[in-house]
Amino acid sequence: MNITAKIWDQGKTGYNVHAFVDGVALCHKGRKAAPMFANNARDLESAQKFVRQTPGAAMCEKCTARFESLAEKAAERVYERTENGTVTVVDRGAGLAEINHAMMGGRRDVREMSSINRTDYAIDYKDGRSVRLILVDAPAPEGYTQGQAVIVQRPGLPTITGTVAHIHTAPGYVAVTDDRYRDTTTYPTRFLSPAEPEEALEDSAPWSTASHRMLLHKFTEATKDGRAVCNKSYRPWRYGNGYSFETKAKRQASEYAHLYTFCPRCDAK
């Protein structure tokens, strides 16, 4: 089951979007595809977008679960392709396509083909290439972990922020849960990049006392005209040597920090 297969469409009745294989929904054998299925069928990502934009529409939960299970199972193995000593990994579909071509339609190009076993094939081409295809367990894509914050950037489409839901064993694919819509969609890793962690910004606002000498307030400006953000009627206290404004971080680092309390209302704004 290819994760990009265009098998999603609404059935003959109802608004739910189902996955149809050979005209039959994955959720129930009695549910058939609509007559215009060939023209309307979408891949999973397009189907999810259609649901978001169509009032009353919804993804069939049973079809979605069944489809993800089949896609995951199909992606568990890939072909290790060795051509004249150069090793690459190709998906199962590409490997089978080359094997079938060599067996059936590629007689003009193939000098000899041998099946070592059901998962191991050797192909000698007339142009001198020697290819070995071995079905192996697919490696998990590197660089991503479950729960990691990522950014999805596809050409011509809005940027999506999300988290890695799970790692597909298919080479180069990662399932991402959209932060906004909470949909989980599988994307090629070429569209993904790790989200940079947001750096905590230091509070540069001036803090000083007002009428209560031990209660510190956050003020709109570090002058006599400043107003406490919790109450505009509060003005900074004037000491004998003038006004005292300092940032919260500096107040907390002071040797007298234990004497003061930060106004919780100011702190929350």
Side-chain angles (χ1 to χ4, degrees):
M1 179 70 66
N2 194 314
I3 57 177
T4 60
K6 293 185 177 181
I7 61 173
W8 296 87
D9 189 24
Q10 291 176 312
K12 293 181 178 180
T13 59
Y15 289 95
N16 283 359
V17 175
H18 301 271
F20 294 93
V21 177
D22 296 329
V24 179
L26 293 179
C27 63
H28 195 281
K29 292 182 179 180
R31 181 170 283 114
K32 307 297 182 181
M36 296 298 292
F37 173 78
N39 296 327
N40 298 334
R42 302 173 174 85
D43 58 24
L44 180 58
E45 183 180 351
S46 298
Q48 291 170 333
K49 182 178 180 180
F50 169 79
V51 167
R52 290 195 295 266
Q53 297 175 343
T54 306
M59 297 294 293
C60 172
E61 295 182 0
K62 290 184 178 180
C63 282
T64 302
R66 178 65 175 156
F67 174 79
E68 290 182 352
S69 176
L70 292 172
E72 189 78 20
K73 185 176 181 180
E76 287 176 356
R77 309 202 78 187
V78 294
Y79 276 98
E80 183 181 85
R81 185 181 187 276
T82 305
E83 181 178 332
N84 296 341
T86 302
V87 180
T88 57
V89 175
V90 298
D91 62 47
R92 197 167 185 172
L96 287 173
E98 184 169 9
I99 292 168
N100 291 334
H101 174 72
M103 291 176 61
M104 307 296 294
R107 295 179 180 178
R108 293 182 179 180
D109 306 319
V110 177
R111 175 178 290 108
E112 183 181 0
M113 177 181 179
S114 58
S115 175
I116 300 170
N117 54 47
R118 295 181 62 184
T119 61
D120 190 345
Y121 298 86
I123 306 171
D124 290 328
Y125 289 93
K126 292 181 180 179
D127 60 7
R129 291 178 296 138
S130 294
V131 175
R132 182 82 173 268
L133 289 160
I134 305 174
L135 192 63
V136 297
D137 292 333
E142 298 179 357
Y144 295 96
T145 57
Q146 187 171 352
Q148 179 182 2
V150 293
I151 297 173
V152 182
Q153 294 177 308
R154 296 163 296 169
L157 294 174
T159 298
I160 295 173
T161 59
T163 55
V164 176
H166 59 272
I167 304 297
H168 271 284
T169 51
Y173 286 91
V174 173
V176 178
T177 299
D178 190 322
D179 285 343
R180 181 178 181 184
Y181 297 106
R182 308 309 300 169
D183 290 332
T184 299
T185 306
T186 300
Y187 299 99
T189 53
R190 67 179 182 275
F191 295 149
L192 270 63
S193 59
E196 295 294 333
E198 295 184 1
E199 296 182 2
L201 299 177
E202 182 180 347
D203 185 0
S204 59
W207 289 76
S208 186
T209 57
S211 57
H212 192 296
R213 306 289 182 84
M214 296 294 105
L215 182 63
L216 292 167
H217 293 274
K218 183 192 294 187
F219 285 86
T220 56
E221 57 181 280
T223 69
K224 65 178 182 178
D225 297 321
R227 297 289 191 272
V229 298
C230 67
N231 190 323
K232 297 298 183 182
S233 66
Y234 291 175
R235 292 172 176 265
W237 181 264
R238 187 179 188 281
Y239 294 89
N241 59 348
Y243 297 94
S244 175
F245 295 99
E246 290 180 337
T247 64
K248 184 178 180 181
K250 194 169 182 179
R251 291 282 188 185
Q252 290 173 323
S254 169
E255 60 180 316
Y256 304 110
H258 62 286
L259 300 177
Y260 293 96
T261 302
F262 291 95
C263 171
R265 292 174 60 194
C266 285
D267 211 12
K269 295 185 178 183

